[in-house]
Amino acid sequence: MRVVRHVVPVLVAGLLCTTRLIAQDSTGAIGGKVTDGTTQQPISDVTISITGTSHSVLSKSDGTFILSGLGSGVQHVRVTRIGFSP
């Protein structure tokens, strides 16, 4: 009985520590709004991508976008649309 009383709390603590380590897998998101520099009007269907990855998204009709599931650290964002310079 003594062994069970000591082993069970250790096992539970070990499982909790493992859960916390998995939860610390840091991911983030980048969001914003794409507007024309001259007219300040929102621009839709703009491709926003992270350089060197397959992460990309199109801006909505109001120019907003959210790129999620990104790893931690510095990210280089590229914004492109036909008729506009990158």
Side-chain angles (χ1 to χ4, degrees), residues 16-84:
L16 291 176
C17 290
T18 304
T19 304
R20 287 184 188 159
L21 291 175
I22 293 170
Q24 289 178 356
D25 184 25
S26 59
T27 59
I30 298 173
K33 185 173 185 176
V34 182
T35 58
D36 184 290
T38 306
T39 64
Q40 300 302 313
Q41 295 297 313
I43 305 173
S44 62
D45 299 323
V46 176
T47 302
I48 299 95
S49 59
I50 303 298
T51 306
T53 70
S54 61
H55 291 286
S56 67
V57 68
L58 289 175
S59 63
K60 298 178 185 177
S61 61
D62 62 353
T64 60
F65 69 92
I66 296 177
L67 250 169
S68 58
L70 305 175
S72 62
V74 176
Q75 303 291 337
H76 296 275
V77 179
R78 182 173 175 88
V79 181
T80 56
R81 185 166 193 270
I82 295 174
F84 290 87

